[in-house]
Amino acid sequence: YYLRVKAANSCNTSGSAYVTSSSFRTHSLLTYTAGANGTISGASTQTVLDGADGTSVTAVPDAGYNFVNWSDGNTSITRQETTVHNSVSVTANFAPNRLVFEQQPVNKTSDPTDVIPVKVKVTDTYGKIMTNSTAAITLVIQNNPSIGSEGVLSGTVTVNAVNGVAEFTNLWINKTGNGYTLKASSPAPIVTTPISSSFNITPGVIHHFTVDGILDNHVAGTTTSPKV
C-alpha cells in the first residue's frame, strides 16, 4: 500500500498537489497446494504480517509416489517462508516411484545350486531409496539367447521389498546362452521396467551319463545306434 496526501484551506479550496508516501505492506498470503497423488501437511493457507515468518508445511506423497519439487523449484519436502514480504503460491509435484537394479546378475552355470543373486531397489525421482516401500517386484527373462529361447528362470521370481529393496536369493536358469538379461516390474503406480546388464549361463558340472538305444537282446555282429 501507499498513501497520497494533499492540503487545502479557504484560500485554496482545490488543495495542493498530492504527495505520495513510501509504499508499505500490511500482510502477505501464503498458499500451498498439493498436485495429483499427494497432500499437504500443515496450514495450506497462511496470512502473515509483513516481515514475520510463516509456519512449516510438508508435501506428503500418496503410497507408491514420491515428492519431486515445489512449482518454484524448491526440492525440500518441508518448507517454511521466513521474513515474508511478498505473497507466495506454490504447488507440490509428485511422481511414481521407480525401480533400479542395485545388484546386477553375473555369469553362472545351469546348475540349480549355482544361484544368481540379484537386488532391485525402489527409488524416488532422484535415485534415493524409498525405505518405506514394500512393493512386490517380479523378474522375468528379457533377452533369452538359449537355443529355441527355451531357457527358464526358476526360483522365487516375485519378492516384496524390505526397506525399499527386494533381494532375490535363489534364481537360476536351466539353459546355456550368452547375453541373458532380466527385466524388473512392479504393480502400478510404478511404471518403470528396467533391464539388467547382460550375463552368461554356461554348462554346469557333468553329474553322470545315461546310455540308451541298445536293444536287449541284440544279435551279435549286427550294428546298433546307442545314444549317450
Side-chain angles (χ1 to χ4, degrees):
Y1 292 93
Y2 61 89
L3 300 178
R4 299 185 68 198
V5 184
K6 71 174 182 177
N9 56 30
S10 58
C11 296
N12 184 7
T13 56
S14 61
S16 65
Y18 279 102
V19 175
T20 303
S21 72
S22 300
S23 62
F24 62 95
R25 297 176 174 86
T26 58
H27 66 274
S28 295
L29 183 64
L30 309 180
T31 305
Y32 304 96
T33 305
N37 307 306
T39 57
I40 300 296
S41 175
S44 59
T45 302
Q46 303 175 29
T47 300
V48 182
L49 291 175
D50 185 56
D53 298 340
T55 59
S56 64
V57 296
T58 301
V60 182
D62 293 343
Y65 291 84
N66 64 86
F67 167 74
V68 179
N69 58 19
W70 298 94
S71 55
D72 62 355
N74 188 327
T75 57
S76 297
I77 193 168
T78 298
R79 67 183 291 164
Q80 180 184 15
E81 317 307 321
T82 59
T83 317
V84 176
H85 292 299
N86 294 288
S87 294
V88 172
S89 179
V90 291
T91 300
N93 298 315
F94 304 94
N97 293 338
R98 305 170 63 87
L99 297 182
V100 176
F101 277 91
E102 183 175 60
Q103 181 179 356
Q104 297 280 358
V106 295
N107 297 341
K108 291 290 181 178
T109 70
S110 56
D111 188 326
T113 64
D114 196 9
V115 297
I116 310 166
V118 176
K119 291 182 183 180
V120 179
K121 61 184 178 181
V122 183
T123 76
D124 65 10
T125 304
Y126 302 106
K128 179 181 177 182
I129 295 178
M130 303 298 293
T131 55
N132 62 341
S133 176
T134 58
I137 299 172
T138 300
L139 293 180
V140 297
I141 294 176
Q142 174 68 13
N143 185 54
N144 195 331
S146 64
I147 295 175
S149 297
E150 294 181 350
V152 176
L153 179 66
S154 298
T156 305
V157 297
T158 298
V159 174
N160 289 327
V162 176
N163 296 325
V165 178
E167 184 173 3
F168 299 81
T169 59
N170 62 356
L171 301 176
W172 67 284
I173 294 177
N174 65 335
K175 299 290 184 181
T176 61
N178 292 336
Y180 276 97
T181 58
L182 302 179
K183 179 174 73 174
S185 63
S186 191
I190 296 175
V191 296
T192 54
T193 54
I195 308 301
S196 74
S197 57
S198 63
F199 60 100
N200 304 329
I201 298 296
T202 55
V205 176
I206 294 177
H207 184 271
H208 64 277
F209 292 101
T210 60
V211 181
D212 61 18
I214 301 177
L215 298 177
D216 186 18
N217 296 320
H218 186 71
V219 178
T222 62
T223 61
T224 185
S225 300
K227 297 179 180 179
V228 180

